[in-house]
Amino acid sequence: MLSLALADSLPEWRVQPELLPAAADFVAQVVRDRYPGLHPPFHARWRHFVFDGVDLWARTGAARAWKTPAAQARAAFDLAITSVLLDAGAGADWRYTDASSGLTAARSEGLALASLRWFERGGLSADPREPLRADATVLRAIDAAAVDGAFQAGPQNPLQGSPGRAALLNALGAAVMAREDLFALADVPRPGGLFDALAARAVAGQIAAPLILEVLLDGLGPIWPNRPTLEGIALGDCWPHPAFDGAGPAQRFVPLHKLSQWLAYSLIEPLEAAGIAVTNVAGLTGLAEYRNGGLFVDTAVLVPREAAALSRMHDVADPFIVGWRALTVGLLDEIAPLVAARLGLEAGNFPLARVLEGGTWAAGRLIARQKRADGGPPIRISSDGTVF
């Protein structure tokens, strides 16, 4: 897709590569401001559980007497998987107020805080004695009212896509129950059972990050609603684009898998905490979401051929959106070494997972706030609560 755009062959988008160095300057400054030691962590859900320097999940975990490192990892997997799946865009007007800390948070941080507190209360557990777990039987029964209750949503505090979020948790529960080989090797079916499946695939105490994604796509592929299929296989966040007219149907799709890849990044830390080293993190791509994509639009690296396209509402399957997201992934690969160079670092020592966190995601949010009063993305997208 990026090659087509650079050849001026995409009907929806132009690329201005000469502006990429200036965008890299901006991202590098954001990294310096946020992480003066120039060592940001990986872009993962765990970052959104940290408020005012306090890691809320780490504090909860430290207060619990875990029977084994594997038991703690299963709980962390339960939380990460459900929280990531609940993370799609909340809308500009929604807020979550945390009674125990007094914190009020919005967007991804608010969704993370709300999902953490729901998890801690045992809202996803089938065992009152064990609140820190998510059971497939409970996930299958969640409805939009339960989501709204957990997220303090209502007419005065509207949350986008509550029915979609509930349906996604229902589908997760069904998928987990259908694949005991992935989710019930050491316990009743629960998302956290995926830890045992990945641990079984480790070789000499190591597992490659792309294998985490492969297992996730295998286990969670059926959960995504309204997604394309190919030969009876649900493709997830993978979309056709008219610019691709390859020899066969498979060559017409763009695989993006934003939430699945962010989840793969988010499972690295609990795996390593349980003693399993994760290798080849660079084997995962950048994330095709609206903060990274918004950065390139707001810095004019990406320009829609029709200016009015920025004021219209778009469906996630529109070629305009598929192209934007694909170009975002391609441009993240281009900007990452430029950012590392500006920080005086070797690209190999500053991988994309750190560039994202340091980084492009934060820079995309910052420039959105500078350009728009609500801090929203430059493109209007109709969200069902399962993509962005």
Side-chain angles (χ1 to χ4, degrees), residues 204-375:
Q206 297 185 337
I207 189 168
L211 181 55
I212 300 174
L213 177 62
E214 180 181 323
V215 173
L216 282 169
L217 294 177
D218 179 27
L220 303 186
I223 75 173
W224 308 105
N226 305 315
R227 297 298 191 267
T229 61
L230 182 63
E231 297 179 3
I233 302 297
L235 299 183
D237 188 11
C238 183
W239 307 91
H241 192 281
F244 294 159
D245 54 358
Q251 282 71 50
R252 298 169 191 159
F253 287 86
V254 185
L256 297 167
H257 302 302
K258 177 257 177 176
L259 282 174
S260 296
Q261 289 208 85
W262 191 34
L263 185 51
Y265 282 122
S266 298
L267 297 183
I268 291 173
E269 289 165 58
L271 280 165
E272 293 195 328
I276 299 173
V278 178
T279 62
N280 192 21
V281 177
L284 301 175
T285 78
L287 301 180
E289 50 82 53
Y290 67 82
R291 291 304 184 192
N292 291 319
L295 170 70
F296 294 121
V297 174
D298 284 336
T299 56
V301 175
L302 281 177
V303 181
R305 292 190 182 276
E306 182 191 0
L310 295 181
S311 61
R312 290 199 300 269
M313 187 70 72
H314 299 274
D315 185 79
V316 294
D318 291 347
F320 182 77
I321 298 300
V322 176
W324 172 50
R325 299 180 71 204
L327 291 169
T328 295
V329 174
L331 288 168
L332 286 169
D333 280 345
E334 299 297 319
I335 203 173
L338 300 180
V339 173
R342 281 151 177 76
L343 298 173
L345 302 171
E346 294 290 334
N349 295 327
F350 198 67
L352 182 58
R354 300 194 192 282
V355 176
L356 293 171
E357 175 60 27
T360 55
W361 189 91
R365 170 178 276 187
L366 177 60
I367 198 169
R369 288 173 175 165
Q370 293 171 354
K371 288 184 171 288
R372 289 170 294 280
D374 67 355

Side-chain angles (χ1 to χ4, degrees), residues 139-163:
L139 294 171
R140 289 190 65 181
I142 295 292
D143 58 17
V147 173
D148 282 342
F151 286 76
Q152 301 174 352
Q156 304 306 313
N157 191 32
L159 175 69
Q160 287 184 0
S162 292

Side-chain angles (χ1 to χ4, degrees), residues 49-182:
F49 299 134
V50 179
F51 292 86
D52 298 328
V54 178
D55 188 328
L56 299 180
W57 170 243
R59 188 168 66 183
T60 296
R64 171 72 180 268
W66 301 100
K67 294 180 180 179
T68 64
Q72 185 170 3
R74 289 184 202 108
F77 270 48
D78 278 336
L79 174 59
I81 293 171
T82 54
S83 186
V84 164
L85 295 185
L86 287 163
D87 185 65
D93 298 325
W94 175 82
R95 301 288 185 275
Y96 181 82
T97 300
D98 184 38
S100 62
S101 66
L103 291 165
T104 296
R107 300 192 184 274
S108 282
E109 289 85 355
L111 293 167
L113 182 57
S115 63
L116 172 64
R117 295 312 194 199
W118 195 15
F119 183 75
E120 290 174 338
R121 291 194 300 270
L124 304 179
S125 172
D127 186 347
R129 301 166 300 175
E130 297 285 342
L132 300 182
R133 59 182 293 129
D135 286 287
T137 52
V138 175
L139 294 171
R140 289 190 65 181
I142 295 292
D143 58 17
V147 173
D148 282 342
F151 286 76
Q152 301 174 352
Q156 304 306 313
N157 191 32
L159 175 69
Q160 287 184 0
S162 292
R165 295 172 207 273
L168 195 56
L169 291 183
N170 299 159
L172 171 65
V176 166
M177 293 186 75
R179 292 294 304 273
E180 293 193 0
D181 60 312
L182 289 180

